[in-house]
Amino acid sequence: MSDLARRFGKNPILKPQDLRPSAEGMEVTCLLNPGVFRFEGKTWLLVRVAERPAQIAGKTSFPILRPDGRLEILEFRSDDPRLDLTDPRVISFDGQDYLTTLSHLRLLSSEDGVHFAEPEHSRPLIGMGELETYGIEDCRVAQIEAVYYLTYTQVSSNGVGVGLRITRDWKHFEHAGMIFSPHNKDCALFEERIGGKYYALHRPSSPELGGNYIWLAESPDLLHWGNHRCLAHSREGCWDSARVGAGAAPIKTAAGWLEIYHGATKENRYCLGALLLDLNEPWRVLARSETPIMEPAADYETEGFFGQVIFTNGHVVDGDTLTVYYGAADSVICGATFSIRSILDSPALASGAKS
Ligand code: MAN
């Protein structure tokens, strides 16, 4: 493998069969894209658990949540001509889109950052209300002083947006509601204020004119966001030609804010790259990876529920060592370490095109 990542020898560190389903009759189909944080001396993952009912021959069934939290199973005949199942993630029926699985978030902790287990009595975080009826996904965790901010994808028939939940103790959560309305996802908060303001990377989509680009917004209070600026476009002919989106919180280095982001082609091959933003004026892009710092190569990355995917929204930093946790092939959870220095020094970043 020619990328800069040192993959864990134990990969994958978590597989669907390692976790119990959240309700009777459901199966854990995939584990994906964990948020990561440190709390009470341990490393924690907030894993996205995607579930559906056991599939019966001739039928296609999938779960949704009622706005009051009740689980409902919808079912179609698999030979119905109105049904389109070409993307394993999506069920299209008569022009209406649903997801094949319903995702919630599960907390797991570890002493060593490699072996993770669910603490007893830990409660999953599930979708709530009319903006989360198709589930909650891909949560970033930012710690600002003693407070943890969870920015995650809210999915419902209303669209895909970014929700915010806030906690200090991982037992009580304040639901702050949707902070970026549809279509938006991949929201990563900066973990400190710059010039007195909070900043967030986010990824609106503008399908007709524009695209799936990384934007920056600022806020006085983490709830109200404005002064939006576009930081990074997808790049024709490159590994990030169809869409780009931020990973976890930007990492503060002497050279600037280092952001690990994902880029995908229209064939949905997802790789990781780096962006370097100015420390005081984070809307100024100093450098960008011309080639990926990590790309699908191991068999658990190339094959699975949705192969050729490396997707991260969580990491921990320890001196020069960046440990990235990622979803591989939308199926299993893996880890890899990088030297931050080696990312900053890589010729592809130093000479990188700006947008
Ligand atoms: C979506 C993301 C992730 C997922 C990838 C690949 O864009 O939001 O949830 O891992 O696609 O399927």
Side-chain angles (χ1 to χ4, degrees), residues 303-349:
E303 282 158 45
F305 183 79
F306 199 71
Q308 300 289 351
V309 172
I310 288 178
F311 189 101
T312 188
N313 47 270
H315 59 230
V316 287
V317 176
D318 197 1
D320 181 55
T321 303
L322 168 67
T323 305
V324 163
Y325 295 89
Y326 63 99
D330 282 358
S331 297
V332 291
I333 307 296
C334 296
T337 61
F338 294 83
S339 151
I340 292 175
R341 194 70 261 156
S342 76
I343 299 174
L344 293 172
D345 287 348
S346 69
L349 181 68

Side-chain angles (χ1 to χ4, degrees), residues 255-269:
W257 295 100
L258 176 65
E259 177 62 21
I260 308 301
Y261 74 97
H262 67 263
T265 59
K266 71 173 174 4
E267 292 78 29
N268 290 310
R269 182 169 189 267

Side-chain angles (χ1 to χ4, degrees), residues 203-207 209-215 230-245 261-266 275 288-289 353-355:
R203 209 290 296 280
S205 291
S206 181
L209 202 144
N212 304 297
Y213 306 154
I214 297 175
W215 288 63
C230 188
L231 294 198
H233 287 191
S234 49
R235 294 175 294 191
E236 195 62 41
C238 280
W239 59 277
D240 51 4
S241 57
R243 67 185 71 89
V244 291
Y261 74 97
H262 67 263
T265 59
K266 71 173 174 4
L275 273 175
R288 179 173 172 183
S289 299
K354 302 212 159 58
S355 64

Side-chain angles (χ1 to χ4, degrees), residues 140-274:
R140 279 81 176 160
V141 179
Q143 184 181 354
I144 304 178
E145 286 144 21
V147 184
Y148 295 90
Y149 297 88
L150 284 62
T151 52
Y152 60 95
T153 309
Q154 300 177 297
V155 194
S156 75
S157 58
N158 299 296
V160 174
V162 177
L164 175 67
R165 298 188 192 186
I166 304 168
T167 188
R168 287 171 177 272
D169 59 7
W170 292 95
K171 291 191 176 75
H172 304 91
F173 295 85
E174 179 193 333
H175 290 233
M178 189 175 269
I179 53 169
F180 291 103
S181 62
H183 185 104
N184 206 316
K185 49 166 57 171
D186 302 327
C187 175
L189 302 178
F190 287 66
E191 292 181 304
E192 62 183 73
R193 278 182 276 200
I194 304 166
K197 289 174 186 154
Y198 294 104
Y199 283 88
L201 298 169
H202 65 113
R203 209 290 296 280
S205 291
S206 181
E208 271 131 39
L209 202 144
N212 304 297
Y213 306 154
I214 297 175
W215 288 63
L216 181 79
E218 59 184 53
S219 171
D221 57 5
L222 293 158
L223 300 176
H224 304 90
W225 293 92
N227 199 13
H228 298 272
R229 305 182 218 222
C230 188
L231 294 198
H233 287 191
S234 49
R235 294 175 294 191
E236 195 62 41
C238 280
W239 59 277
D240 51 4
S241 57
R243 67 185 71 89
V244 291
I251 302 156
K252 195 174 191 183
T253 75
W257 295 100
L258 176 65
E259 177 62 21
I260 308 301
Y261 74 97
H262 67 263
T265 59
K266 71 173 174 4
E267 292 78 29
N268 290 310
R269 182 169 189 267
Y270 280 72
C271 300
L272 302 184

Side-chain angles (χ1 to χ4, degrees), residues 3 11 19 28 32 62 80 141 185 268 279 309 351:
D3 57 38
N11 277 349
L19 296 188
V28 176
L32 309 91
F62 61 96
D80 192 314
V141 179
K185 49 166 57 171
N268 290 310
L279 278 182
V309 172
S351 63

Side-chain angles (χ1 to χ4, degrees), residues 13 51 77 82 93 105 138 147 204 215-216 285 339:
I13 56 170
E51 299 178 311
R77 284 176 56 110
R82 292 169 294 177
F93 184 80
L105 307 174
D138 302 350
V147 184
W215 288 63
L216 181 79
V285 178
S339 151

Side-chain angles (χ1 to χ4, degrees), residues 107-120:
L107 283 165
L108 286 90
S109 68
S110 171
E111 300 281 354
D112 64 2
V114 177
H115 300 84
F116 284 87
E118 262 187 291
E120 260 183 73

